[in-house]
Amino acid sequence: MKLILLGAPGAGKGTQAEIISEKYDIPTISTGNIIRAALKNGTEMGLKAKAYIDSGRLVPDDVVIGIIKERLSDTDCQNGFILDGFPRTIPQAEALDNMGVNVDAALSIEVDDREIVKRMSGRRVCEKCGASYHTEFKKPANDGVCDACGGKLVIRKDDEPDTVHDRLDIYHKQTEPLKSYYKTQDKLIIVEGQDKVSDTTELVLKALSEI
Ligand code: AP5
């Protein structure tokens, strides 16, 4: 399966991608995670992207299109993949089409802006491995410590409330139009994000089983 996950920042794309990836045995490609790793490793691309990512603005299209082109050529993508956070603009979606990538579906997880702000304020991420937690909905076994690697849990810089509002604005202006783009291609699936992760997962897996 070749799947795009759409949705506002914090709608739960990363959370669901992890579950779908395991169930269908296909890799998740998260442009956000790739850029954050580049930033951490101090690569040229990471340094270029830093100002954008910290302030919640979109990294220029040519940079992320380059990342995706390279990643999709890896052998583990041959049987399918999940794109989490790409495309985010119409030019990015057109670039994907021009690469000859024919996705099966673009699944949009819909969550109200107010709920998003609440969720983001509770998100904590591991500064070592990037695993994601929540102070209320997905607590680690030990406060402030990553279950997976023992790393320290921190607040993502772009999860500060003002930046979250800016990211939501950008989402509505630049990314939400992708719903019409994929509706025209008859590939759009809408899932209403639920309060419980497992309830959203149930709806997502049901929708995917019907493709
Ligand atoms: P990226 O990392 O992709 O951020 P995002 O889309 O803003 O997504 P998030 O990771 O914030 O949220 P999510 O939807 O994955 O939610 P999650 O599952 O974590 O991108 C970061 C930045 O990189 C961008 O701002 C941009 O600068 C750059 N970038 C990336 N891709 C780009 C592109 N294509 N073009 C240009 N620039 C790009 O859930 C959020 C929290 O809520 C978690 O704590 C989780 O535990 C909790 N939660 C999840 N589901 C539920 C639920 N059902 N109920 C309660 N809590 C829940």
Side-chain angles (χ1 to χ4, degrees):
M1 179 172 37
K2 294 177 182 161
L3 178 69
I4 289 170
L5 286 183
L6 293 174
K13 300 181 295 296
T15 303
Q16 297 303 324
E18 217 175 284
I19 298 163
I20 303 165
S21 166
E22 199 167 308
K23 182 165 169 63
Y24 285 84
D25 196 21
I26 48 175
T28 295
I29 302 169
S30 158
T31 35
N33 286 348
I34 294 173
I35 297 167
R36 276 188 292 276
L39 214 151
K40 199 172 147 199
N41 294 330
T43 68
E44 198 188 325
M45 186 268 280
L47 293 174
K48 248 198 256 173
K50 183 173 170 35
Y52 293 97
I53 203 161
D54 282 354
S55 63
R57 284 174 298 146
L58 294 184
V59 171
D61 285 338
D62 58 331
V63 175
V64 274
I65 290 167
I67 291 174
I68 287 294
K69 222 181 215 166
E70 201 179 311
R71 181 64 184 89
L72 288 181
S73 67
D74 289 345
T75 46
D76 67 334
C77 294
Q78 274 170 7
N79 295 327
F81 48 79
I82 304 159
L83 292 177
D84 165 15
F86 183 94
R88 252 183 165 91
T89 63
I90 298 284
Q92 291 179 19
E94 288 169 346
L96 194 63
D97 286 345
N98 292 336
M99 285 176 220
V101 175
N102 187 16
V103 297
D104 297 296
L107 187 148
S108 176
I109 303 173
E110 310 270 312
V111 176
D112 187 75
D113 283 5
R114 262 178 309 181
E115 176 63 26
I116 297 262
V117 175
K118 219 165 69 187
R119 279 191 197 179
M120 304 292 248
S121 65
R123 175 162 56 184
R124 298 292 179 271
V125 291
C126 174
E127 64 177 4
K128 216 161 134 198
C129 75
S132 177
Y133 298 87
H134 196 281
T135 49
E136 214 180 309
F137 311 117
K138 194 184 172 193
K139 295 181 184 176
N142 296 310
D143 244 9
V145 182
C146 177
D147 292 346
C149 75
K152 187 177 161 202
L153 301 185
V154 296
I155 299 177
R156 235 169 76 172
K157 197 159 184 180
D158 59 347
D159 278 352
E160 304 290 345
D162 279 354
T163 313
V164 170
H165 284 293
D166 292 345
R167 287 164 71 196
L168 282 168
D169 255 6
I170 292 172
Y171 166 75
H172 291 302
K173 286 190 189 120
Q174 298 201 54
T175 307
E176 214 167 14
L178 289 175
K179 288 200 285 184
S180 305
Y181 185 90
Y182 287 109
K183 192 172 179 3
T184 310
Q185 294 189 3
D186 210 15
K187 288 178 177 167
L188 180 71
I189 300 172
I190 301 269
V191 165
E192 294 293 333
Q194 306 294 307
D195 289 342
K196 267 177 71 188
V197 173
S198 57
D199 290 344
T200 305
T201 303
E202 201 178 313
L203 295 178
V204 165
L205 294 181
K206 182 172 182 296
L208 295 182
S209 72
E210 289 164 359
I211 293 176

